[in-house]
Amino acid sequence: MTKLERRLLYKIILVNLPAGFVLLLFVIIAHLLKPSSAEQYLPLLVIAPGLSISLTLVLTLREFKKLYHILGELEENIVRLGSENFIPSPPSVPLPEWPNSAIIALKNLVTKFSKTEGELQQKKEWLELIVTALPDGIIIIDASGRIVLSNPPITQITGIKQLEGKFYWEVLRKAELMNILQEVRPGKPPLTTETRFDEQTFFVTAVAGETTNHRILIFNDYTSIIRAERMKQDFVLNVSHELRTPLSAIKGYVETLEETIEPKNRGYLEIIKRHTDRMMNLIQDLLQLARLEEEKFPLQKESIELATLVNNILPIFVRQARKKGITIETAIPDTIKPIEADRLLLEQALINLLDNAVKYTENGLIAITAEEMDNSVAISVRDTGIGIDKEHIDRIFERFYVVNRSRSRQTGGTGLGLAIVKHIIELHKGKIQVKSTPGIGSTFTIILPGKL
């Protein structure tokens, strides 16, 4: 029996018990006073249970009617629960204790609900403020592909004022954007791509939510960075062209003077020659790097035997390696299939790596190896030279970055050799890895696809 049922039963008993007890007591007293007349009260004994039952039914119906009214008011309060500024209506009839506790519980529920709703509304406003204030364009797409949120920058980028409610393919008609939106997955790293709108270039990042399956696109405008980089490249290219002519003339005069100069002045001429050669090498590297950075640089692809390519390069370094006590070994299996690449560029990349290995190794070993890896080929140049500290490894492919400047000046380095190597490998859709331990040596590994 529930608490409600017990309360109702107790009330009926308390109301009806005194009435029945009084009637019974009256009959007993009458019998004691006049036993002969007790029979005339027998109809009362018969009628009393019926009256008690009727009274019980009347009281029960009255209580249930009141309960029905209370439940109706409670239902009305629950229906209005979701409305704004909801306040529970007070009961219109006197209530026993149990409905009051239900109304109090309802009030507490509404208070918690209102508090939670207020917090969510505040966080929503904060999110909208942040999204609106960001300089990057942002689009949030739901699971069905509709845009549910955007900000002013993306409106300027697309030229469409109202993005919300539209499908993303109606707005972002770019193949690269379609690809990352279809490939991005919840719990996976963000995907990135580059796209253009009119004269602007954007770096786009796509992220997928784990619970709602919403996707977010963030458009970062780096047009100004590209323009600055292009201006810098143009400047370097122009300066290099302008310097190459006078330096060529200086080098020609130095070679002419070598035949007639007096012995006591030959040392000065050697200094001029050494620095002229260094400047010529620097300009040559700058021009080559600028050429590699051109958009749609054409590769002269052909089938290349790695063993033949390496054997053609080695004679360049034999004399210098022997002078420094360096042994050069090769281990390229005959079973390695030919790769598709630009012969001259791949030769240049290997020459630069071998040149560094020879420069920074004394009385040691340089090993050139190759192995097949699935659909690619790995070519490694390992040396037992001075090695590279860990703090420098992430930056050695930057232009003009030199680990040891004094040693670089002595060896005539330009600081562009590894930058050129990286560009050549990226043009071949490959990658380059470095492992190095100071005092033990370095290993540079080029990984190239078998076919471009």
Side-chain angles (χ1 to χ4, degrees):
M1 183 179 293
T2 65
K3 186 176 180 181
L4 171 61
E5 292 170 337
R6 286 199 303 270
R7 285 178 178 272
L8 187 59
L9 179 61
Y10 294 159
K11 186 168 184 178
I12 293 171
I13 292 173
L14 289 174
V15 170
N16 290 279
L17 185 60
F21 180 76
V22 170
L23 183 61
L24 180 62
L25 183 62
F26 174 77
V27 173
I28 293 171
I29 292 171
H31 177 70
L32 291 175
L33 293 176
K34 294 182 178 182
S36 61
S37 61
E39 289 78 5
Q40 63 182 327
Y41 298 106
L42 288 176
L44 290 176
L45 293 175
V46 175
I47 296 171
L51 291 174
S52 178
I53 293 172
S54 299
L55 184 59
T56 301
L57 288 174
V58 170
L59 290 174
T60 303
L61 289 174
R62 180 185 173 190
E63 291 298 323
F64 272 108
K65 182 178 179 181
K66 188 185 296 183
L67 177 61
Y68 180 79
H69 186 78
I70 293 168
L71 291 176
E73 291 185 346
L74 187 61
E75 180 184 9
E76 181 183 351
N77 280 292
I78 293 173
V79 170
R80 295 190 297 109
L81 181 63
S83 63
E84 295 183 1
N85 302 321
F86 167 69
I87 301 175
S89 58
S92 60
V93 295
L95 298 177
E97 181 183 351
W98 64 269
N100 281 333
S101 63
I103 292 296
I104 291 171
L106 182 61
K107 287 181 179 179
N108 293 335
L109 176 62
V110 171
T111 302
K112 292 180 181 179
F113 177 80
S114 300
K115 183 179 179 181
T116 303
E117 185 181 26
E119 291 175 353
L120 289 175
Q121 185 64 29
Q122 188 180 49
K123 290 181 179 179
K124 180 182 178 182
E125 291 178 1
W126 289 348
L127 176 62
E128 290 177 350
L129 286 173
I130 292 171
V131 170
T132 303
L134 285 175
D136 297 334
I138 294 178
I139 290 180
I140 301 179
I141 303 167
D142 66 14
S144 67
R146 289 187 183 274
I147 298 173
V148 295
L149 182 65
S150 63
N151 65 346
I154 197 66
T155 301
Q156 296 176 1
I157 293 169
T158 59
I160 301 174
K161 292 183 179 180
Q162 185 62 36
L163 295 177
E164 285 80 357
K166 297 181 182 294
F167 289 102
Y168 71 84
W169 53 81
E170 297 177 317
V171 178
L172 308 173
R173 298 180 179 179
K174 304 278 186 179
E176 58 273 13
L177 298 180
M178 298 293 180
N179 291 337
I180 62 172
L181 280 172
Q182 292 170 3
E183 294 173 7
V184 69
R185 293 290 182 272
K188 299 294 183 180
L191 299 181
T192 59
T193 188
E194 183 180 301
T195 190
R196 290 179 63 86
F197 283 88
D198 297 330
E199 298 299 321
Q200 292 177 291
T201 304
F202 296 90
F203 185 78
V204 184
T205 303
V207 185
E210 294 189 14
T211 55
T212 60
N213 201 26
H214 281 44
R215 288 161 290 176
I216 303 177
L217 283 182
I218 303 173
F219 292 74
N220 178 249
D221 185 358
Y222 68 115
T223 307
S224 58
I225 298 175
I226 292 178
R227 288 174 181 169
E229 187 68 22
R230 189 173 295 128
M231 289 175 63
K232 184 172 68 174
Q233 292 174 2
D234 292 342
F235 172 77
V236 170
L237 188 62
N238 292 334
V239 170
S240 299
H241 278 296
E242 293 297 327
L243 287 176
R244 186 165 60 173
T245 300
L247 283 172
S248 298
I250 293 172
K251 185 174 182 179
Y253 283 121
V254 167
E255 291 174 350
T256 301
L257 288 172
E258 280 183 321
E259 300 176 359
T260 59
I261 195 169
E262 297 179 2
K264 63 179 181 179
N265 296 324
R266 185 169 294 276
Y268 300 113
L269 192 63
E270 289 296 329
I271 294 173
I272 296 173
K273 182 181 178 182
R274 185 171 67 252
H275 285 285
T276 302
D277 288 342
R278 186 169 181 272
M279 287 295 294
M280 290 292 292
N281 291 336
L282 177 60
I283 290 172
Q284 187 63 33
D285 285 348
L286 284 171
L287 292 173
Q288 184 175 15
L289 193 58
R291 190 167 64 94
L292 292 172
E293 290 176 340
E294 291 178 359
E295 293 185 10
K296 299 180 181 179
F297 179 85
L299 291 177
Q300 306 299 323
K301 295 180 288 187
E302 59 179 293
S303 181
I304 299 174
E305 295 279 353
L306 283 179
T308 303
L309 182 71
V310 171
N311 290 332
N312 290 339
I313 294 172
L314 289 180
I316 301 173
F317 301 98
V318 169
R319 181 179 176 184
Q320 188 178 0
R322 188 180 297 139
K323 185 178 179 180
K324 298 183 69 176
I326 299 171
T327 302
I328 300 179
E329 296 180 353
T330 61
I332 301 176
D334 296 334
T335 56
I336 291 184
K337 298 177 182 178
I339 63 172
E340 193 177 67
D342 186 308
R343 181 181 295 275
L344 293 178
L345 291 183
L346 190 55
E347 280 183 354
Q348 183 64 57
L350 290 174
I351 287 172
N352 287 4
L353 292 178
L354 284 169
D355 185 55
N356 282 347
V358 172
K359 284 179 181 177
Y360 298 105
T361 303
E362 299 287 343
N363 299 315
L365 173 70
I366 296 174
I368 307 168
T369 60
E371 61 175 337
E372 287 184 321
M373 301 169 58
D374 297 330
N375 296 323
S376 59
V377 175
I379 310 166
S380 297
V381 177
R382 179 175 62 86
D383 65 61
T384 57
I386 61 175
I388 305 169
D389 288 330
K390 186 178 180 180
E391 62 192 62
H392 298 293
I393 288 181
D394 291 337
R395 300 192 59 190
I396 57 176
F397 294 103
E398 296 177 9
R399 296 184 190 181
F400 302 110
Y401 188 83
V402 178
V403 175
N404 189 327
R405 293 193 175 276
S406 61
R407 190 178 184 105
S408 179
R409 292 192 195 98
Q410 294 173 5
T411 57
T414 64
L416 295 171
L418 290 178
I420 291 173
V421 172
K422 183 180 179 181
H423 275 79
I424 291 174
I425 301 308
E426 288 179 348
L427 283 173
H428 286 82
K429 299 179 182 178
K431 57 184 178 179
I432 184 167
Q433 301 173 346
V434 185
K435 293 182 181 179
S436 185
T437 304
I440 295 178
S442 305
T443 301
F444 287 79
T445 302
I446 296 172
I447 301 176
L448 295 173
K451 289 186 179 182
L452 293 177

